Amino acid sequence: MSNQVQLDQPLQNRTGKRKGASDRSISKYISYLFLLSLCVVWVIPVIFGISTSFRSQTEVVSSGFRLFPEQWIFENYVAILNNTSTAPILRWLMNSLFIATTHTFLVVIVISITGYGYSRMNFKGRDTLFFTLLGISFFPGVVNLIPSYKIIDALGWVNTSWAMIIPGLAGMGNIFLVRQFMNGLPKELDESARVDGASDFRIYLSIIVPLIKPILIVCALFSFTGSWNDFLWPVIVYTDVDKMPVTAGLLLLQDIYGNYRMIGQLMGSAILAIIPTMLLFLFAQKYFVQSINLNSGIKG
Amino acid sequence: MKKKLNLAPVFFVGPHVILFAVFVLLPTIYGIYASFTKWNLMNEPVWVGLDNYKTILFNTESTFHTQFQNGLKNTFIFVGLSVPLLIVIPLMIAVALEHKKVKMKNVIQSILYIPGLISISAAALIWLLIFNKQLGITGNIFGSQIAWPTNQPYAWLIIIVITVWGGVGGNMIIYRASISGVAKELYESAELDGAGSIRRFASITLPSIRFPLIYTFVMTTAGAFNVFGQPLMMTDGGPRQSTHVLMMYIRQLAFGNGESIAGMASAMAVLLGLIILVISALQYYVMNRNAA
Amino acid sequence: MKKKTLFSSLVLVLSLTTVLAGCSNEDKNMITFWTPLTGDDGAYMDQLVKDYNATNPEVKVKHVITADMYTKVSTVLNSGKGVPDLAIIHADRVPGFVKQGVLEPMTDLIKAQPELKQDNYLPQAWSTGTVDGTQYTIPLDIHSNVMYYNKDLLKKYNAESFLDDNVVTIDEMLSLQGKLDEGDYIVNDALLGWVILAQIQNLGGDIQENGKPAVNTPVMKQALESVKKVADAGLMTPFGEDGYLMFQSGNVLFSTDGTWSSTAHAGVEGLNFGVTNVYSAAPDKFTNRSSSHLFTMLKNKDRTEAKVAGIGNFLEFIRTNSLEWAKAGQIVASKQVNESPEYKDYMQSFFTSNEKEIQSLYIYTYEYYPYIAEAVDTYCGDIVRGNVDIDETLQTMQKFVEDKIAEGSSGAK
């Protein structure tokens, strides 16, 4: 309210500055309060989950709430890591690394090129095509598992990593995001380059890609974690437990710990499963908020 | 010159169209075909025409009709409760994090993002323990005597809590990446003009990120319509099936115990798909118009 | 720097490709054996397979553990490729699979292995796989709904006499009404649907009449109402609270969960527990609703005779050597094992200790049992807690099952 009143008044530089400054320190406190209270609510369950993975079943079921275990035990992790015949975790981690890096690498190429096509190029039926594909992708594919398997089988990809890497490239979500992001970039950027005689590929590579780098990193992160909740597909396409990615493998483990209500083990396997992605996130996060200077973008 | 320009889009869009045709379109067509059949996943589907749709939509006696109705109603409740929170909270976080003087941005961001990485079964167990009367926070610290998963409105509350807890991260980083692209000069000149933070948010931030905003709105809604993990793990659809969402019924029909009823499941999925389609088209149309 | 990362990641990817490509060896002379046994169960089965392969058989067995096995089975049967040579399925899947014609009869295999016969197994585990006189499965185990009791609490409430005749009746449980400390309960609601289905047998009823599903019956109503009495008296752990964990934390006298939980309960320090039959609504009868893990051969044209002979050998090996499986908490189906002295060390040997106990392990073999179990599981909680009208809900349940049957491949159009 006060802001609006203030804006309606004829502006004097000095008062404006002072008001802006005090406004900023108030908003700083509000921001802090909001963020910190959110963080507390968000982090307690995570800490509780981690600490539970160090609890014995005896302690889990003993009454009363304790954020940290009375006695830290490592048996849960020992049990998970020892079960190498049915749950070869190191193997799974290697598989995941291969699948995720290849998949992410290809995703970034496919979505940036396709996004450029749908956002910066003019061709007949462009938007119709885009929205048709997007619309089709909204249909929940419940029984699609069967035809999808047949296609993968016809391609000879059953029990290979390609079954995990390639089908995901067909998704529309990330392309939609990239397209939306590109639509926000001023058209003058590529128009002036085009006047200078640059080809589409050149504009894509040297003007657009640098500008959308943050969102490409976000998409890379999403596709790295993308198959997270989808554990049915890996179960279907892999015959060997040995070849599974870590998330699907650990979900398989959790299934059993869940059924047998071995709570510490279940938590332990969930914690192990998030470590690779968490590391990636910690590494990637400084890139996707890196601020872009539109002016220098044109020069490059 | 003109001919050259006409071929270029094929190179940019074509490869993905092929991938899409093979891995999305074909299976989807098969799924739609299955919705006109009686099928147990193992034998060849038997064509029954519109029977499945007639049963689901018009046969008020049928279990499938009641399931569809109840499931759809509950799905709409979930969408209505979760989507606004999954848009507003991440946006507020992103704006607050953009504040120059806020420190430890990466730590805060990580804390808010990490829950989304935890698998739904483990997340559900954590929260069920927290909401457990003997072992958790609500009973021991706040003295709540209620069994949350089996009493409304608490059953919805815990489903929404776990959804928001695990779901803000994705949209948050999209907003962060988008806002960081807004030219700093715009804010600085607005500040010189004496614009307060709310005003700056409304007149600079929001318009600058309107395209990503449309994206998050459409995709978050579409995602919410597909919900099933959270209610399945937290309440198992109870009490009295009041949190039993449509996707849970669909999956039970297709992959439940006993012989699969995949044709009926497909028909329900197609209907759900049509609803998602209409709603997201509407969202896109309205938001795009307002933004333009 | 950027180029460097790109390069090194490419190298990594390429080297991993070769690593992964190197390990795909599809041996034609191997019996592919699928099981839904994840976690520790899978490890015990792995050990059995390893032991068998160590005997140097002509055809070795390759154990593949598959979560969501039934979805996967549908997928491979539908595409006709990649069907396993041998699989473990649950008892309630047998009638449906036989009807859909996806199981291979065991006739030839049994001819070659004379010891694979009914007399050598628990009778119901064997007969579950018999459809119209043809044997389709060989049993591995019976796993059952059972009732664990907390010895200390039984003593505290002077209720040890409940166990005298091996049947804890609902009336006995009700006799403790008003005598419990706050926060203590007589029984939890673990596997409540199975408990209800056991009461139907105790009360002399069934879930079918001449092949038609019978859910909305006086017996079903009586079964639900007698369990409801326990809940109404405040003796059952509250709705929506984790009764299983409450048993482990020592606040509940009886827990109606499964044979397989014994190892988990044993992991809780200070929990002094034993096992008995699930409580009964009748004074003189007790039933433990059971299922069974069964070996079976899914239809597969490529299965050679040598492989079938190999499977026969493997199953005979399991029959004589499956003591390992007792570690999983399950009731081993082979008599040679469950009558051996070593087996007596396992808690679940209680259920094979005499004829009456063996008979109490009841496996439903009705074709549409899965739909009925689903209906009971979906609705019994709300009925027992008095959240819904029982007559109306029973009608809904009956309709639920009938509608599903009508949609099946055999249902009337």
Side-chain angles (χ1 to χ4, degrees):
Chain A
M1 265 301 269
S2 66
N3 290 329
Q4 279 178 0
V5 175
Q6 182 203 328
L7 270 174
D8 290 338
Q9 287 165 354
L11 292 170
Q12 290 171 350
N13 242 346
R14 284 180 77 199
T15 44
K17 242 184 189 167
R18 207 189 299 144
K19 283 252 178 181
S22 69
D23 174 79
R24 193 193 270 174
S25 72
I26 293 170
S27 69
K28 182 181 108 181
Y29 290 119
I30 294 173
S31 299
Y32 260 125
L33 196 69
F34 171 69
L35 289 174
L36 288 182
S37 48
L38 221 53
C39 278
V40 169
V41 177
W42 254 240
V43 82
I44 284 179
V46 178
I47 293 176
F48 184 64
I50 295 171
S51 76
T52 301
S53 72
F54 291 100
R55 275 175 232 247
S56 63
Q57 185 83 357
T58 315
E59 209 186 310
V60 169
V61 299
S62 63
S63 251
F65 180 78
R66 263 179 244 102
L67 193 55
F68 294 104
E70 263 184 347
Q71 207 181 352
W72 295 76
I73 61 145
F74 298 90
E75 272 83 347
N76 296 322
Y77 287 96
V78 172
I80 298 164
L81 295 169
N82 265 349
N83 192 352
T84 46
S85 65
T86 55
I89 288 191
L90 290 178
R91 198 61 210 234
W92 288 344
L93 279 169
M94 291 286 281
N95 298 344
S96 277
L97 200 63
F98 170 69
I99 292 167
T101 39
T102 318
H103 178 68
T104 306
F105 184 71
L106 293 173
V107 159
V108 170
I109 294 172
V110 170
I111 61 173
S112 58
I113 289 184
T114 318
Y116 181 89
Y118 285 122
S119 169
R120 313 306 280 189
M121 297 179 104
N122 288 310
F123 57 94
K124 220 177 138 198
R126 180 190 73 178
D127 289 355
T128 319
L129 178 66
F130 175 77
F131 287 111
T132 310
L133 299 195
L134 185 66
I136 292 168
S137 74
F138 280 156
F139 277 85
V142 179
V143 302
N144 300 10
L145 213 59
I146 308 274
S148 297
Y149 178 82
K150 283 183 166 174
I151 291 166
I152 291 296
D153 190 30
L155 291 166
W157 289 352
V158 171
N159 218 12
T160 71
S161 302
W162 301 117
M164 289 299 294
I165 294 168
I166 305 296
L169 299 177
M172 285 301 289
N174 285 332
I175 292 173
F176 186 22
L177 178 57
V178 168
R179 173 190 181 267
Q180 289 300 95
F181 209 78
M182 282 187 192
N183 281 352
L185 300 176
K187 289 267 182 262
E188 296 79 38
L189 283 176
D190 22 341
E191 271 161 21
S192 63
R194 196 154 282 146
V195 170
D196 292 345
S199 67
D200 270 311
F201 191 71
R202 169 126 210 112
I203 297 170
Y204 156 76
L205 205 63
S206 52
I207 298 181
I208 301 297
V209 166
L211 285 176
I212 59 163
K213 216 170 83 189
I215 211 70
L216 288 182
I217 289 169
V218 169
C219 289
L221 186 70
F222 284 173
S223 43
F224 199 89
T225 54
S227 54
W228 223 245
N229 287 316
D230 177 22
F231 89 113
L232 199 53
W233 181 243
V235 164
I236 299 296
V237 295
Y238 287 110
T239 328
D240 287 346
V241 174
D242 274 357
K243 292 184 179 173
M244 288 209 167
V246 67
T247 41
L250 285 169
L251 275 165
L252 193 144
L253 259 190
Q254 282 175 32
D255 196 35
I256 199 70
Y257 291 139
N259 287 343
Y260 287 55
R261 312 302 307 276
M262 290 156 146
I263 289 170
Q265 266 111 313
L266 192 147
M267 288 300 167
S269 56
I271 304 295
L272 288 178
I274 71 169
I275 288 174
T277 350
M278 203 178 71
L279 292 177
L280 181 83
F281 177 77
L282 296 179
F283 169 76
Q285 68 171 344
K286 63 171 174 245
Y287 291 104
F288 59 70
V289 288
Q290 138 195 104
S291 77
I292 320 152
N293 192 327
L294 287 180
N295 296 321
S296 70
I298 291 174
K299 272 184 221 154
Chain B
M1 176 78 196
K2 247 206 159 170
K3 266 185 187 167
K4 245 187 184 172
L5 270 177
N6 282 344
L7 257 178
V10 178
F11 292 114
F12 278 83
V13 175
H16 176 262
V17 170
I18 294 169
L19 284 170
F20 186 89
V22 175
F23 296 109
V24 182
L25 186 61
L26 272 179
T28 306
I29 290 173
Y30 197 86
I32 293 171
Y33 159 71
S35 74
F36 297 103
T37 68
K38 208 182 227 191
W39 187 31
N40 65 9
L41 293 182
M42 293 191 207
N43 60 5
E44 283 306 305
V46 180
W47 185 264
V48 294
L50 287 170
D51 278 9
N52 293 334
Y53 290 97
K54 277 187 205 153
T55 310
I56 294 166
L57 293 174
F58 305 115
N59 183 356
T60 50
E61 293 281 289
S62 167
T63 305
F64 306 111
H65 176 80
T66 17
Q67 286 190 344
F68 182 75
Q69 232 179 9
N70 185 50
L72 195 60
K73 185 192 86 190
N74 294 331
T75 304
F76 268 104
I77 292 175
F78 177 82
V79 171
L81 293 173
S82 69
V83 172
L85 293 173
L86 287 175
I87 299 294
V88 173
I89 295 177
L91 194 54
M92 284 165 70
I93 296 168
V95 171
L97 278 174
E98 206 48 38
H99 204 288
K100 274 186 202 142
K101 287 192 176 158
V102 170
K103 299 229 162 57
M104 299 200 303
K105 288 179 182 171
N106 283 350
V107 177
I108 295 172
Q109 193 165 270
S110 307
I111 288 175
L112 298 174
Y113 187 77
I114 283 167
L117 300 177
I118 299 174
S119 69
I120 181 71
S121 52
L125 189 63
I126 293 176
W127 280 101
L128 284 174
L129 285 174
I130 286 176
F131 285 113
N132 185 300
K133 204 166 78 183
Q134 283 86 29
L135 312 174
I137 294 178
T138 50
N140 283 303
I141 296 175
F142 299 110
S144 154
Q145 287 302 308
I146 296 151
W148 292 55
T150 47
N151 287 287
Q152 289 290 20
Y154 304 98
W156 273 124
L157 195 72
I158 57 173
I159 290 171
I160 298 299
V161 164
I162 189 175
T163 304
V164 172
W165 178 72
V168 295
N171 285 348
M172 171 188 79
I173 64 170
I174 291 176
Y175 296 143
R176 287 275 283 148
S178 312
I179 291 174
S180 73
V182 178
K184 290 283 166 290
E185 297 82 45
L186 284 175
Y187 286 108
E188 275 156 24
S189 62
E191 214 171 286
L192 284 181
D193 290 348
S197 48
I198 294 172
R199 178 80 190 205
R200 285 202 301 271
F201 172 74
S203 62
I204 300 173
T205 313
L206 269 190
S208 312
I209 63 163
R210 69 177 191 275
F211 290 113
L213 204 59
I214 294 172
Y215 165 84
T216 52
F217 224 106
V218 170
M219 295 308 275
T220 307
T221 310
F225 271 105
N226 278 300
V227 68
F228 79 97
Q230 297 93 315
L232 180 72
M233 305 300 287
M234 298 301 284
T235 63
D236 199 13
R240 274 168 280 131
Q241 303 200 52
S242 60
T243 56
H244 210 301
V245 292
L246 187 54
M247 211 55 190
M248 281 169 73
Y249 286 119
I250 293 176
R251 294 181 85 94
Q252 272 168 9
L253 287 174
F255 304 116
N257 289 327
E259 196 179 357
S260 166
I261 308 174
M264 194 65 78
S266 297
M268 287 193 190
V270 169
L271 289 171
L272 180 61
L274 288 173
I275 291 166
I276 298 174
L277 205 61
V278 169
I279 288 183
S280 40
L282 223 78
Q283 281 179 327
Y284 188 87
Y285 179 72
V286 170
M287 290 186 69
N288 223 15
R289 246 174 51 144
N290 287 349
Chain C
M1 136 102 199
K2 235 191 278 169
K3 274 190 186 148
K4 246 188 189 167
T5 7
L6 191 71
F7 180 72
S8 53
S9 64
L10 267 176
V11 168
L12 185 76
V13 164
L14 287 174
S15 57
L16 275 167
T17 325
T18 43
V19 167
L20 289 172
C23 62
S24 63
N25 51 331
E26 283 299 310
D27 199 346
K28 287 273 184 291
N29 208 23
M30 276 267 207
I31 294 165
T32 327
F33 170 40
W34 285 10
T35 73
L37 309 166
T38 45
D40 290 344
D41 288 5
Y44 297 130
M45 183 49 75
D46 251 20
Q47 190 57 48
L48 282 169
V49 171
K50 221 178 261 171
D51 293 349
Y52 174 70
N53 287 339
T55 65
N56 280 317
E58 271 177 48
V59 193
K60 291 196 175 182
V61 176
K62 187 182 170 200
H63 180 209
V64 176
I65 296 165
T66 304
D68 264 300
M69 192 188 77
Y70 294 109
T71 311
K72 191 162 171 157
V73 162
S74 303
T75 325
V76 293
L77 284 175
N78 189 280
S79 80
K81 276 197 254 175
V83 181
D85 298 308
L86 181 66
I88 282 187
I89 61 171
H90 290 95
D92 54 1
R93 296 277 175 168
V94 175
F97 277 3
V98 170
K99 196 165 182 186
Q100 289 154 39
V102 299
L103 298 188
E104 200 77 62
M106 288 272 182
T107 325
D108 293 343
L109 188 144
I110 292 170
K111 258 184 220 151
Q113 294 290 345
E115 293 307 313
L116 298 179
K117 58 179 181 189
Q118 174 141 26
D119 294 349
N120 286 335
Y121 293 95
L122 294 174
Q124 64 270 55
W126 180 272
S127 61
T128 298
T130 323
V131 181
D132 298 329
T134 308
Q135 192 66 24
Y136 290 93
T137 64
I138 305 286
L140 169 67
D141 70 22
I142 286 183
H143 46 279
S144 179
N145 185 199
V146 297
M147 191 158 83
Y148 296 95
Y149 54 88
N150 183 320
K151 288 181 181 167
D152 299 333
L153 282 182
L154 277 187
K155 197 167 192 181
K156 176 178 167 190
Y157 292 115
N158 212 7
E160 283 156 313
S161 62
F162 289 8
L163 302 174
D164 287 350
D165 51 355
N166 283 332
V167 45
V168 176
T169 64
I170 287 179
D171 290 333
E172 278 173 330
M173 297 202 294
L174 288 172
S175 72
L176 283 181
Q177 190 174 1
K179 292 179 187 160
L180 298 184
D181 293 349
E182 209 194 314
D184 280 0
Y185 299 93
I186 298 279
V187 70
N188 63 16
D189 57 359
L191 299 182
L192 189 64
W194 288 24
V195 173
I196 304 284
L197 286 162
Q199 302 314 324
I200 301 217
Q201 292 302 313
N202 289 336
L203 297 166
D206 200 1
I207 55 170
Q208 61 151 333
E209 261 170 54
N210 308 319
K212 296 253 180 310
V215 183
N216 187 10
T217 58
V219 174
M220 178 69 87
K221 188 174 174 182
Q222 200 187 340
L224 286 161
E225 276 177 339
S226 44
V227 176
K228 185 169 183 291
K229 266 191 237 161
V230 181
D232 286 347
L235 299 174
M236 190 178 274
T237 54
F239 197 23
E241 289 193 29
D242 200 320
Y244 178 93
L245 291 186
M246 288 169 85
F247 176 75
Q248 289 194 339
S249 46
N251 294 319
V252 184
L253 272 74
F254 298 111
S255 175
T256 52
D257 51 289
T259 30
W260 55 89
S261 304
S262 57
T263 46
H265 290 328
V268 180
E269 271 168 61
L271 181 67
N272 191 5
F273 70 102
V275 72
T276 185
N277 303 300
V278 168
Y279 61 85
S280 174
D284 48 357
K285 185 149 192 243
F286 56 88
T287 306
N288 302 298
R289 182 272 181 215
S290 304
S291 179
S292 173
H293 284 126
L294 305 159
F295 293 98
T296 196
M297 297 189 288
L298 296 160
K299 280 255 163 77
N300 179 355
K301 278 173 283 166
D302 305 330
R303 192 184 288 111
T304 58
E305 270 175 43
K307 275 190 182 176
V308 175
I311 292 170
N313 273 329
F314 176 60
L315 296 186
E316 173 61 15
F317 176 86
I318 294 285
R319 186 185 73 80
T320 47
N321 293 287
S322 48
L323 187 66
E324 177 82 13
W325 191 242
K327 288 185 191 162
Q330 317 289 29
I331 301 161
V332 177
S334 160
K335 281 192 182 167
Q336 183 171 334
V337 174
N338 69 40
E339 286 169 0
S340 71
E342 295 95 326
Y343 184 74
K344 299 281 177 288
D345 297 340
Y346 294 93
M347 186 172 247
Q348 67 269 27
S349 63
F350 173 81
F351 298 97
T352 46
S353 56
N354 60 55
E355 241 348 90
K356 221 179 159 196
E357 281 301 335
I358 292 175
Q359 275 168 23
S360 79
L361 304 169
Y362 190 85
I363 302 174
Y364 280 98
T365 51
Y366 175 49
E367 185 185 353
Y368 299 115
Y369 168 77
Y371 292 152
I372 292 176
E374 195 183 338
V376 171
D377 283 338
T378 310
Y379 294 98
C380 70
D382 281 318
I383 294 177
V384 166
R385 305 305 179 147
N387 288 346
V388 288
D389 180 77
I390 185 163
D391 293 309
E392 207 177 289
T393 311
L394 281 173
Q395 272 175 28
T396 314
M397 287 162 71
Q398 178 75 27
K399 184 86 174 96
F400 175 99
V401 175
E402 284 170 2
D403 282 352
K404 289 207 165 190
I405 293 172
E407 280 306 315
S409 54
S410 52
K413 230 197 100 180

